[in-house]
Amino acid sequence: MAALSGRDLLSLADLSPKEVQELLEMATQLKLQKLKLRCNKVLGLLFSKASTRTRVSFSVAMYQLGGQVIDLNPNVTQVSRGEPIQDTARVLERYLDILAIRTFAQQELETFAHYAKIPVINALTDLEHPCQVLADLLTIKEYFNTFTGLTLTYLGDGNNVANSLVLGCALAGMNVRVATPSGYEPNAAIIEAARSIAGNKTEVILTHDPEVATKGVNVLYTDVWASMGQESEADDRTPIFQTYQINEELLNLADPEAIVLHCLPAHRGEEITDAVIEGSQSRVWDQAENRMHVQKALLASLLGAD
Ligand code: CP
Ligand code: NVA
């Protein structure tokens, strides 16, 4: 069982390859109901951006563990009135056992974690989305039963999901290719960190060519072309990203057994077509379900449940 008691999860790079494997194994056991864990603790959700999957999957995971959840929507707390993060963090840690934060700047999350002694989880920042990628890895493992020898290709914007995916693939022992338009590459420091984790065992490849990136791969992944906070750029981005769309033509270049993933919410007809997301190779609903199982494992592990 992964022993992460008392730690934060701010970046996927906070976990070792062994800890990732242990969390995935724990999530599998929880999903199959071969493992039952209880923890009578309280989770706070402090989300400054919209969320369906993360909010609900964290809440249900905590309820199923026997714990409780408080939704700390910034609009109904003093956060929206500008109470300093360092004050909010030191107050919330006196009430809560664990805190999941969704915000814009990674630095804000890190300040929270610095001042709050309870475990703090990154529930999405502009830089990373580690909980999403743990669920993605679980979905890949369920389908292929291994990571060894697999290649995942991410197409589109080098955003938070792309950054965490690159780290996740390196940690899991999978090759990763990222195809973006020029100027939209993933974070350079994260690429460097992923290459350091991968060593000479697996590849971390950046390209601007979606077809070369897709040929023969096992997993195709995409996300929106304009993330939360970038809505005003959406119209300008559409023509720039058009050739990175996952459609049937592109999918035909991948391995015939390849699966398609998308963190959701999707913009059908933009980064992915209706036919592909509804097609036989799509695993997006299993992927969404796995958010709950992997976050239950994560909560139990950070809280030291037994
Ligand atoms: N994939 C994901 O994080 O979805 P939500 O924004 O709905 O939480
Ligand atoms: N990249 C997207 C992911 C949403 C789950 C965003 O940040 O809006």
Side-chain angles (χ1 to χ4, degrees):
M1 196 162 119
L4 307 176
S5 191
R7 300 225 323 242
D8 297 319
L9 181 69
L10 308 183
S11 162
L12 212 49
D14 292 342
L15 299 175
S16 67
K18 182 165 175 275
E19 287 166 344
V20 169
Q21 300 290 353
E22 286 171 351
L23 269 177
L24 298 182
E25 182 54 31
M26 198 171 155
T28 302
Q29 298 299 317
L30 286 163
K31 183 172 181 177
L32 298 173
Q33 299 196 345
K34 290 185 179 164
L35 177 66
K36 295 232 160 60
L37 294 170
R38 299 290 295 171
C39 80
N40 184 19
K41 300 281 175 77
V42 182
L43 163 70
L45 299 178
L46 184 56
F47 282 19
S48 303
K49 292 176 176 172
S51 169
T52 299
R53 279 143 287 270
T54 311
R55 185 189 303 281
V56 178
S57 57
F58 260 120
S59 301
V60 175
M62 198 62 184
Y63 295 143
Q64 290 183 356
L65 285 169
Q68 298 187 49
V69 181
I70 302 182
D71 191 347
L72 299 162
N73 182 337
N75 295 329
V76 297
T77 62
Q78 300 286 11
V79 171
S80 58
R81 294 182 61 235
E83 182 166 7
I85 293 171
Q86 52 269 46
D87 296 2
T88 308
R90 282 176 292 183
V91 171
L92 289 180
E93 70 157 19
R94 303 287 175 113
Y95 307 135
L96 300 169
D97 299 296
I98 190 163
L99 181 60
I101 296 178
R102 171 169 285 205
T103 191
F104 295 86
Q106 181 79 8
Q107 184 57 51
E108 187 182 317
L109 176 78
E110 285 174 10
T111 306
F112 249 108
H114 177 78
Y115 284 97
K117 288 186 217 80
I118 55 173
V120 173
I121 300 172
N122 181 347
L124 182 147
T125 61
D126 291 344
L127 189 68
E128 274 206 59
H129 198 1
C131 298
Q132 175 67 53
V133 170
L134 288 171
D136 303 339
L137 294 176
L138 181 60
T139 311
I140 294 165
K141 193 179 165 210
E142 278 177 346
Y143 186 77
F144 293 101
N145 212 23
T146 183
F147 294 115
T148 309
L150 298 182
T151 301
L152 177 149
T153 286
Y154 174 93
L155 296 147
D157 184 28
N159 61 17
N160 42 13
V161 170
N163 288 333
S164 291
L165 259 181
V166 170
L167 287 170
C169 289
L171 286 162
M174 227 183 330
N175 300 306
V176 59
R177 302 178 190 166
V178 180
T180 67
S182 178
Y184 295 90
E185 294 83 0
N187 179 277
I190 287 187
I191 294 297
E192 200 179 318
R195 286 191 170 136
S196 158
I197 294 164
N200 55 12
K201 298 186 296 293
T202 57
E203 289 179 336
V204 179
I205 293 175
L206 301 190
T207 173
H208 300 308
D209 187 331
E211 294 189 3
V212 168
T214 301
K215 277 195 188 119
V217 299
N218 310 98
V219 184
L220 269 188
Y221 197 121
T222 191
D223 183 18
V224 290
W225 292 337
S227 287
M228 289 181 276
Q230 299 172 329
E231 289 83 357
S232 64
E233 295 175 38
D235 289 348
D236 293 339
R237 284 179 174 229
T238 304
I240 299 172
F241 284 87
Q242 203 58 56
T243 57
Y244 297 83
Q245 180 189 67
I246 302 188
N247 50 39
E248 284 169 304
E249 203 183 332
L250 199 69
L251 181 54
N252 280 336
L253 299 177
D255 186 275
E257 304 292 318
I259 60 168
V260 176
L261 300 180
H262 189 308
C263 58
L264 305 177
H267 290 174
R268 293 169 188 231
E270 293 184 24
E271 75 276 2
I272 193 163
T273 59
D274 206 40
V276 170
I277 203 168
E278 295 293 351
S280 62
Q281 288 167 273
S282 168
R283 291 291 174 279
V284 301
W285 316 119
D286 291 340
Q287 183 186 4
E289 178 188 334
N290 283 337
R291 296 293 306 276
M292 184 173 69
H293 303 299
V294 95
Q295 285 158 204
K296 196 188 290 178
L298 181 66
L299 287 167
S301 192
L302 296 175
L303 288 166
D306 47 32

